Amino acid sequence: MNGAIIGYGTIAAGHVIGYRQTEGIDVTAVVDPTPARAQAARSTGLRAYATYEEMVDNENPDFIDICTPPNSHACYIELGLRDGLHVLCEKPVLMPYEGRYDRLLGQIAASNKVFYPCHNYKFAPILATMQQVVRSPGFGDVLSARFRTLRQGHAVGVADWNPHWRRDPLIAGGGILRDHGPHSVYLATHLTGRTPLAVSCLSGAMRHDGHTGTEDTAMLMIRCDDDVQIELDVTWSAGYRNSYYSITGTGGTVAVENDDVRYSLDGRLHRTTLPSNFDDPQHSDWFAAMFTDFLTKTRHPEQAAPLLADSLTTSLVIDGAYASAADNGRWVELTPAQDLLIGAAR
Protein backbone atom coordinates (compact mmCIF):
# COMPACT_ATOMS: atom_id res chain seq x y z
CA MET A 1 0.00 0.00 0.00
CA ASN A 2 1.40 3.37 -1.07
CA GLY A 3 0.44 6.85 0.02
CA ALA A 4 1.22 10.56 -0.12
CA ILE A 5 2.03 12.91 2.74
CA ILE A 6 0.37 16.32 2.72
CA GLY A 7 2.74 18.88 4.25
CA TYR A 8 6.41 18.07 4.76
CA GLY A 9 7.47 19.49 8.13
CA THR A 10 9.14 17.96 11.18
CA ILE A 11 6.31 15.56 11.97
CA ALA A 12 6.02 14.44 8.35
CA ALA A 13 9.75 13.64 8.29
CA GLY A 14 9.15 11.41 11.31
CA HIS A 15 6.23 9.77 9.52
CA VAL A 16 8.47 8.95 6.54
CA ILE A 17 10.96 7.17 8.81
CA GLY A 18 8.09 5.28 10.43
CA TYR A 19 6.67 4.17 7.09
CA ARG A 20 10.05 2.88 5.97
CA GLN A 21 10.26 0.76 9.11
CA THR A 22 6.83 -0.78 8.47
CA GLU A 23 6.36 -3.76 6.18
CA GLY A 24 3.51 -3.55 3.68
CA ILE A 25 3.13 0.22 3.59
CA ASP A 26 5.13 3.16 2.29
CA VAL A 27 4.85 6.74 1.04
CA THR A 28 6.17 7.76 -2.36
CA ALA A 29 4.99 11.36 -2.74
CA VAL A 30 4.63 14.62 -0.86
CA VAL A 31 2.49 17.72 -1.34
CA ASP A 32 4.11 20.93 -0.11
CA PRO A 33 3.93 24.40 -1.72
CA THR A 34 7.23 25.53 -0.19
CA PRO A 35 10.12 24.95 -2.62
CA ALA A 36 12.63 24.30 0.17
CA ARG A 37 10.40 21.69 1.79
CA ALA A 38 9.68 20.07 -1.57
CA GLN A 39 13.42 19.80 -2.13
CA ALA A 40 13.87 18.33 1.35
CA ALA A 41 11.33 15.66 0.45
CA ARG A 42 13.03 14.91 -2.86
CA SER A 43 16.34 14.49 -1.04
CA THR A 44 14.82 11.49 0.77
CA GLY A 45 13.64 9.89 -2.47
CA LEU A 46 10.07 11.20 -2.48
CA ARG A 47 8.36 12.81 -5.45
CA ALA A 48 7.15 16.30 -4.53
CA TYR A 49 4.22 18.35 -5.82
CA ALA A 50 3.09 21.88 -5.08
CA THR A 51 -0.64 21.04 -4.90
CA TYR A 52 -2.89 18.13 -4.06
CA GLU A 53 -4.42 18.26 -7.55
CA GLU A 54 -1.01 17.99 -9.19
CA MET A 55 -0.20 15.00 -6.99
CA VAL A 56 -3.36 13.01 -7.81
CA ASP A 57 -2.91 13.78 -11.52
CA ASN A 58 0.49 12.07 -11.43
CA GLU A 59 0.20 9.51 -8.64
CA ASN A 60 -2.17 6.70 -7.73
CA PRO A 61 -2.06 6.65 -3.90
CA ASP A 62 -4.08 4.33 -1.69
CA PHE A 63 -4.10 6.87 1.15
CA ILE A 64 -3.08 10.36 2.16
CA ASP A 65 -1.42 11.31 5.44
CA ILE A 66 -2.30 14.87 6.48
CA CYS A 67 0.56 16.59 8.33
CA THR A 68 -0.44 20.20 7.66
CA PRO A 69 -1.42 22.81 10.28
CA PRO A 70 -4.97 22.48 11.69
CA ASN A 71 -6.74 25.07 9.54
CA SER A 72 -6.33 22.91 6.42
CA HIS A 73 -7.18 19.50 7.89
CA ALA A 74 -10.86 19.52 6.93
CA CYS A 75 -10.11 20.53 3.34
CA TYR A 76 -7.67 17.68 2.77
CA ILE A 77 -9.88 15.17 4.59
CA GLU A 78 -12.72 16.05 2.20
CA LEU A 79 -10.45 15.79 -0.85
CA GLY A 80 -9.08 12.41 0.18
CA LEU A 81 -12.52 10.95 0.88
CA ARG A 82 -13.86 12.42 -2.37
CA ASP A 83 -11.14 10.63 -4.29
CA GLY A 84 -11.75 7.29 -2.58
CA LEU A 85 -8.60 7.29 -0.45
CA HIS A 86 -7.97 6.17 3.08
CA VAL A 87 -7.14 9.20 5.22
CA LEU A 88 -4.75 9.60 8.14
CA CYS A 89 -4.66 12.94 9.93
CA GLU A 90 -2.41 14.49 12.55
CA LYS A 91 -3.92 16.11 15.64
CA PRO A 92 -6.10 18.03 16.16
CA VAL A 93 -7.90 15.61 13.86
CA LEU A 94 -11.34 17.22 13.80
CA MET A 95 -11.83 20.97 13.92
CA PRO A 96 -15.34 22.48 14.20
CA TYR A 97 -16.64 24.19 11.07
CA GLU A 98 -18.75 27.15 12.20
CA GLY A 99 -18.99 25.41 15.57
CA ARG A 100 -20.24 22.14 14.08
CA TYR A 101 -18.91 18.80 12.88
CA ASP A 102 -21.89 17.42 10.96
CA ARG A 103 -20.63 18.18 7.45
CA LEU A 104 -17.34 16.34 7.86
CA LEU A 105 -18.85 13.53 9.91
CA GLY A 106 -21.42 12.98 7.17
CA GLN A 107 -18.68 12.68 4.55
CA ILE A 108 -16.74 10.23 6.69
CA ALA A 109 -19.89 8.17 7.32
CA ALA A 110 -20.67 8.06 3.58
CA SER A 111 -17.17 6.83 2.71
CA ASN A 112 -16.12 3.20 2.61
CA LYS A 113 -12.53 4.13 3.40
CA VAL A 114 -10.73 4.19 6.74
CA PHE A 115 -10.43 7.52 8.54
CA TYR A 116 -7.53 7.20 10.96
CA PRO A 117 -6.38 9.66 13.65
CA CYS A 118 -2.62 9.87 14.21
CA HIS A 119 -2.93 9.48 17.99
CA ASN A 120 0.69 8.43 18.26
CA TYR A 121 1.11 8.67 22.05
CA LYS A 122 -0.97 5.49 22.32
CA PHE A 123 1.96 3.69 20.71
CA ALA A 124 4.71 4.93 23.03
CA PRO A 125 6.16 1.74 24.61
CA ILE A 126 6.41 3.34 28.05
CA LEU A 127 2.70 4.25 27.97
CA ALA A 128 1.83 0.79 26.68
CA THR A 129 3.54 -0.50 29.82
CA MET A 130 1.37 1.85 31.86
CA GLN A 131 -1.72 0.48 30.13
CA GLN A 132 -0.70 -3.08 30.99
CA VAL A 133 -0.53 -2.14 34.67
CA VAL A 134 -3.95 -0.45 34.59
CA ARG A 135 -5.47 -3.52 32.95
CA SER A 136 -3.94 -5.92 35.46
CA PRO A 137 -6.61 -7.66 37.60
CA GLY A 138 -5.04 -6.36 40.80
CA PHE A 139 -5.27 -2.73 39.72
CA GLY A 140 -9.04 -2.69 40.19
CA ASP A 141 -11.36 0.06 38.96
CA VAL A 142 -9.89 3.39 37.87
CA LEU A 143 -10.62 6.17 40.36
CA SER A 144 -8.69 9.16 38.97
CA ALA A 145 -5.93 10.28 36.62
CA ARG A 146 -3.50 13.20 36.57
CA PHE A 147 -1.40 14.20 33.55
CA ARG A 148 1.06 17.11 33.32
CA THR A 149 2.91 18.29 30.22
CA LEU A 150 5.55 20.95 30.88
CA ARG A 151 7.41 22.58 27.99
CA GLN A 152 9.73 25.59 27.75
CA GLY A 153 7.91 27.00 24.74
CA HIS A 154 5.86 25.97 21.74
CA ALA A 155 7.39 23.67 19.16
CA VAL A 156 8.90 25.80 16.41
CA GLY A 157 8.02 24.83 12.85
CA VAL A 158 10.33 24.71 9.86
CA ALA A 159 12.04 27.99 8.98
CA ASP A 160 11.01 27.60 5.34
CA TRP A 161 7.37 28.33 6.18
CA ASN A 162 5.87 29.96 9.32
CA PRO A 163 7.92 28.71 12.28
CA HIS A 164 5.48 30.12 14.88
CA TRP A 165 2.21 29.00 13.30
CA ARG A 166 1.24 27.24 16.56
CA ARG A 167 0.71 30.68 18.12
CA ASP A 168 -1.45 32.00 15.26
CA PRO A 169 -5.14 31.41 16.09
CA LEU A 170 -6.15 31.61 12.42
CA ILE A 171 -3.81 28.72 11.58
CA ALA A 172 -3.74 26.66 14.77
CA GLY A 173 -7.31 27.26 15.91
CA GLY A 174 -6.05 28.03 19.42
CA GLY A 175 -2.93 27.62 21.53
CA ILE A 176 -1.67 24.78 23.66
CA LEU A 177 -5.19 23.41 24.15
CA ARG A 178 -5.34 22.63 20.42
CA ASP A 179 -1.72 21.47 20.28
CA HIS A 180 -0.80 19.39 23.34
CA GLY A 181 -4.37 19.23 24.62
CA PRO A 182 -5.55 16.49 22.22
CA HIS A 183 -2.66 14.19 23.20
CA SER A 184 -3.60 14.52 26.87
CA VAL A 185 -7.32 13.99 26.27
CA TYR A 186 -7.20 10.97 23.95
CA LEU A 187 -4.49 9.36 26.05
CA ALA A 188 -6.47 9.85 29.27
CA THR A 189 -9.64 8.32 27.81
CA HIS A 190 -7.61 5.50 26.22
CA LEU A 191 -5.75 4.59 29.40
CA THR A 192 -8.67 4.97 31.81
CA GLY A 193 -11.40 3.64 29.54
CA ARG A 194 -13.72 6.41 30.75
CA THR A 195 -16.06 8.71 28.85
CA PRO A 196 -15.87 12.48 29.50
CA LEU A 197 -19.18 14.04 30.58
CA ALA A 198 -18.20 17.60 31.55
CA VAL A 199 -15.13 19.80 31.61
CA SER A 200 -13.88 22.83 33.54
CA CYS A 201 -10.86 24.78 32.33
CA LEU A 202 -8.75 27.79 33.24
CA SER A 203 -6.23 29.07 30.71
CA GLY A 204 -3.97 32.03 30.07
CA ALA A 205 -0.72 33.36 28.64
CA MET A 206 2.04 33.14 31.26
CA ARG A 207 5.25 33.12 29.25
CA HIS A 208 5.14 36.76 28.10
CA ASP A 209 6.96 35.86 24.91
CA GLY A 210 5.09 38.18 22.57
CA HIS A 211 2.64 35.54 21.38
CA THR A 212 -0.47 36.94 23.02
CA GLY A 213 -3.10 35.73 20.56
CA THR A 214 -3.32 32.24 22.05
CA GLU A 215 -3.07 30.58 25.46
CA ASP A 216 0.18 28.93 26.51
CA THR A 217 -1.15 27.31 29.72
CA ALA A 218 -4.32 25.41 30.57
CA MET A 219 -5.63 23.41 33.52
CA LEU A 220 -8.52 21.05 32.88
CA MET A 221 -10.77 19.03 35.16
CA ILE A 222 -12.82 16.37 33.35
CA ARG A 223 -15.74 14.54 34.95
CA CYS A 224 -16.26 11.07 33.53
CA ASP A 225 -18.67 8.20 33.98
CA ASP A 226 -18.49 6.22 37.25
CA ASP A 227 -17.45 9.44 39.04
CA VAL A 228 -13.90 9.26 37.68
CA GLN A 229 -12.12 12.61 37.56
CA ILE A 230 -9.22 13.41 35.24
CA GLU A 231 -6.88 16.38 35.77
CA LEU A 232 -4.83 17.65 32.85
CA ASP A 233 -2.23 20.44 32.99
CA VAL A 234 -0.44 21.63 29.85
CA THR A 235 1.93 24.56 29.53
CA TRP A 236 4.51 26.15 27.27
CA SER A 237 5.62 28.47 30.07
CA ALA A 238 7.63 26.05 32.23
CA GLY A 239 11.32 26.44 33.05
CA TYR A 240 12.04 22.79 32.19
CA ARG A 241 10.59 19.88 30.20
CA ASN A 242 8.62 17.22 32.02
CA SER A 243 6.05 14.61 31.05
CA TYR A 244 4.05 13.07 33.89
CA TYR A 245 1.13 10.61 33.84
CA SER A 246 -0.47 8.94 36.86
CA ILE A 247 -3.56 6.77 37.33
CA THR A 248 -5.02 5.57 40.63
CA GLY A 249 -7.17 2.46 40.92
CA THR A 250 -8.97 0.72 43.78
CA GLY A 251 -6.12 -1.80 44.02
CA GLY A 252 -3.06 -0.05 42.66
CA THR A 253 -1.37 3.04 41.30
CA VAL A 254 0.92 3.72 38.36
CA ALA A 255 2.95 6.78 37.38
CA VAL A 256 5.19 7.56 34.43
CA GLU A 257 7.55 10.53 34.66
CA ASN A 258 9.86 10.99 31.69
CA ASP A 259 11.75 7.65 31.54
CA ASP A 260 10.65 6.33 34.94
CA VAL A 261 7.78 3.93 35.63
CA ARG A 262 6.59 3.40 39.21
CA TYR A 263 3.62 1.27 40.15
CA SER A 264 2.02 -0.56 43.05
CA LEU A 265 0.15 -3.84 42.62
CA ASP A 266 -0.91 -6.40 45.21
CA GLY A 267 0.85 -4.45 47.93
CA ARG A 268 4.22 -4.48 46.18
CA LEU A 269 6.10 -1.51 44.76
CA HIS A 270 7.83 -1.74 41.40
CA ARG A 271 10.11 0.64 39.54
CA THR A 272 11.69 0.44 36.11
CA THR A 273 13.25 2.72 33.52
CA LEU A 274 12.37 2.78 29.83
CA PRO A 275 13.35 5.20 27.07
CA SER A 276 10.20 7.29 26.67
CA ASN A 277 11.21 9.35 23.61
CA PHE A 278 8.86 12.07 24.85
CA ASP A 279 11.45 14.64 23.79
CA ASP A 280 11.87 13.31 20.24
CA PRO A 281 9.50 15.34 18.02
CA GLN A 282 9.68 12.78 15.21
CA HIS A 283 8.62 9.73 17.30
CA SER A 284 9.55 7.47 14.38
CA ASP A 285 9.30 4.22 16.38
CA TRP A 286 5.87 5.22 17.66
CA PHE A 287 4.79 5.97 14.11
CA ALA A 288 5.98 2.58 12.85
CA ALA A 289 3.70 0.86 15.38
CA MET A 290 0.87 3.25 14.51
CA PHE A 291 1.17 2.58 10.78
CA THR A 292 1.09 -1.16 11.42
CA ASP A 293 -2.19 -0.57 13.25
CA PHE A 294 -3.49 1.59 10.38
CA LEU A 295 -2.66 -1.17 7.91
CA THR A 296 -4.60 -3.63 10.06
CA LYS A 297 -7.59 -1.29 10.10
CA THR A 298 -7.61 -1.05 6.29
CA ARG A 299 -7.83 -4.85 6.18
CA HIS A 300 -10.49 -4.94 8.91
CA PRO A 301 -12.35 -1.62 8.50
CA GLU A 302 -14.99 -2.58 11.06
CA GLN A 303 -12.28 -2.06 13.70
CA ALA A 304 -11.88 1.60 12.72
CA ALA A 305 -15.29 2.80 13.95
CA PRO A 306 -14.16 3.46 17.57
CA LEU A 307 -11.33 5.66 16.27
CA LEU A 308 -13.77 8.23 14.87
CA ALA A 309 -15.62 8.38 18.19
CA ASP A 310 -12.24 8.81 19.92
CA SER A 311 -11.31 11.69 17.61
CA LEU A 312 -14.66 13.40 18.04
CA THR A 313 -14.67 13.00 21.83
CA THR A 314 -11.21 14.55 21.97
CA SER A 315 -12.33 17.57 19.95
CA LEU A 316 -15.54 18.00 21.96
CA VAL A 317 -13.54 18.07 25.21
CA ILE A 318 -11.20 20.73 23.79
CA ASP A 319 -14.15 22.78 22.52
CA GLY A 320 -15.78 22.52 25.94
CA ALA A 321 -12.52 23.56 27.61
CA TYR A 322 -12.37 26.73 25.51
CA ALA A 323 -16.01 27.51 26.35
CA SER A 324 -15.29 26.94 30.04
CA ALA A 325 -12.13 29.08 30.06
CA ALA A 326 -14.04 31.91 28.38
CA ASP A 327 -16.50 31.80 31.30
CA ASN A 328 -14.09 31.67 34.25
CA GLY A 329 -13.88 27.90 34.46
CA ARG A 330 -17.57 27.03 34.68
CA TRP A 331 -18.47 23.38 34.14
CA VAL A 332 -19.51 22.68 30.55
CA GLU A 333 -21.60 19.58 29.83
CA LEU A 334 -20.36 17.65 26.81
CA THR A 335 -22.49 16.31 23.98
CA PRO A 336 -21.91 12.53 23.67
CA ALA A 337 -19.89 11.78 20.54
CA GLN A 338 -22.18 8.88 19.69
CA ASP A 339 -25.16 11.23 19.41
CA LEU A 340 -23.38 13.27 16.74
CA LEU A 341 -22.16 10.18 14.94
CA ILE A 342 -25.66 8.69 14.82
CA GLY A 343 -27.00 11.92 13.42
CA ALA A 344 -24.27 12.06 10.77
CA ALA A 345 -24.98 8.51 9.64
CA ARG A 346 -28.66 9.19 8.90
Side-chain angles (χ1 to χ4, degrees):
M1 178 178 287
N2 290 318
I5 290 181
I6 314 298
Y8 193 69
T10 302
I11 293 298
H15 280 214
V16 171
I17 297 171
Y19 281 118
R20 290 176 175 172
Q21 294 174 348
T22 308
E23 185 176 354
I25 191 169
D26 200 3
V27 287
T28 56
V30 160
V31 174
D32 199 299
T34 308
R37 299 313 302 162
Q39 181 56 41
R42 292 189 187 100
S43 70
T44 67
L46 298 167
R47 294 183 290 276
Y49 302 92
T51 68
Y52 174 89
E53 290 74 17
E54 184 183 358
M55 184 274 293
V56 294
D57 284 344
N58 291 276
E59 304 283 340
N60 187 29
D62 300 298
F63 67 89
I64 58 170
D65 182 351
I66 302 167
C67 296
T68 58
N71 66 335
S72 61
H73 286 184
C75 172
Y76 286 116
I77 291 169
E78 291 183 3
L79 289 172
L81 295 177
R82 179 201 68 186
D83 293 337
L85 307 176
H86 300 298
V87 174
L88 300 95
C89 188
E90 267 292 338
K91 56 80 186 170
V93 179
L94 296 172
M95 297 282 286
Y97 176 73
E98 295 182 348
R100 299 166 62 90
Y101 294 92
D102 49 353
R103 172 178 166 177
L104 197 55
L105 293 176
Q107 292 171 334
I108 295 170
S111 172
N112 64 351
K113 297 299 181 179
V114 169
F115 178 73
Y116 191 94
C118 292
H119 287 174
N120 59 80
Y121 271 62
K122 291 181 180 180
F123 299 92
I126 197 169
L127 296 177
T129 298
M130 187 178 197
Q131 183 182 38
Q132 292 172 3
V133 174
V134 173
R135 291 184 176 178
S136 299
F139 194 83
D141 296 328
V142 171
L143 297 175
S144 63
R146 172 85 187 279
F147 294 1
R148 296 189 75 201
T149 302
L150 307 183
R151 298 292 184 264
Q152 294 173 282
H154 59 279
V156 177
V158 293
D160 313 308
W161 192 63
N162 181 347
H164 299 293
W165 64 261
R166 284 178 173 83
R167 305 308 303 272
D168 185 338
L170 296 180
I171 298 175
I176 195 167
L177 269 174
R178 286 286 182 208
D179 192 65
H180 278 289
H183 285 316
S184 295
V185 174
Y186 73 66
L187 194 57
T189 58
H190 173 66
L191 291 174
T192 65
R194 301 304 178 188
T195 300
L197 304 178
V199 61
S200 171
C201 176
L202 295 174
S203 68
M206 298 176 61
R207 192 164 184 81
H208 307 298
D209 55 5
H211 298 286
T212 59
T214 56
E215 79 288 345
D216 63 24
T217 301
M219 299 179 293
L220 290 76
M221 300 286 286
I222 303 173
R223 290 177 181 163
C224 300
D225 55 329
D226 293 334
D227 294 323
V228 171
Q229 185 155 287
I230 296 171
E231 299 179 41
L232 307 177
D233 300 334
V234 290
T235 186
W236 283 325
S237 66
Y240 63 100
R241 290 179 66 92
N242 188 264
S243 300
Y244 175 83
Y245 308 89
S246 71
I247 300 176
T248 300
T250 54
T253 62
V254 59
V256 166
E257 185 168 13
N258 302 321
D259 295 340
D260 293 326
V261 184
R262 302 180 299 277
Y263 63 96
S264 171
L265 280 177
D266 303 319
R268 291 184 296 173
L269 297 176
H270 306 263
R271 181 170 182 172
T272 188
T273 300
L274 294 171
S276 67
N277 291 327
F278 290 141
D279 295 338
D280 176 8
Q282 294 191 335
H283 304 310
S284 56
D285 56 337
W286 303 6
F287 290 137
M290 185 179 73
F291 296 143
T292 297
D293 184 62
F294 165 68
L295 194 57
T296 298
K297 298 299 188 289
T298 63
R299 294 166 176 168
H300 303 279
E302 71 282 357
Q303 297 179 11
L307 299 179
L308 179 56
D310 185 23
S311 300
L312 183 56
T313 295
T314 299
S315 292
L316 293 172
V317 170
I318 299 300
D319 294 345
Y322 274 115
S324 173
D327 197 11
N328 302 313
R330 73 174 174 88
W331 282 97
V332 173
E333 302 294 321
L334 301 173
T335 301
Q338 289 298 336
D339 289 358
L340 297 181
L341 293 173
I342 291 171
R346 290 174 179 166

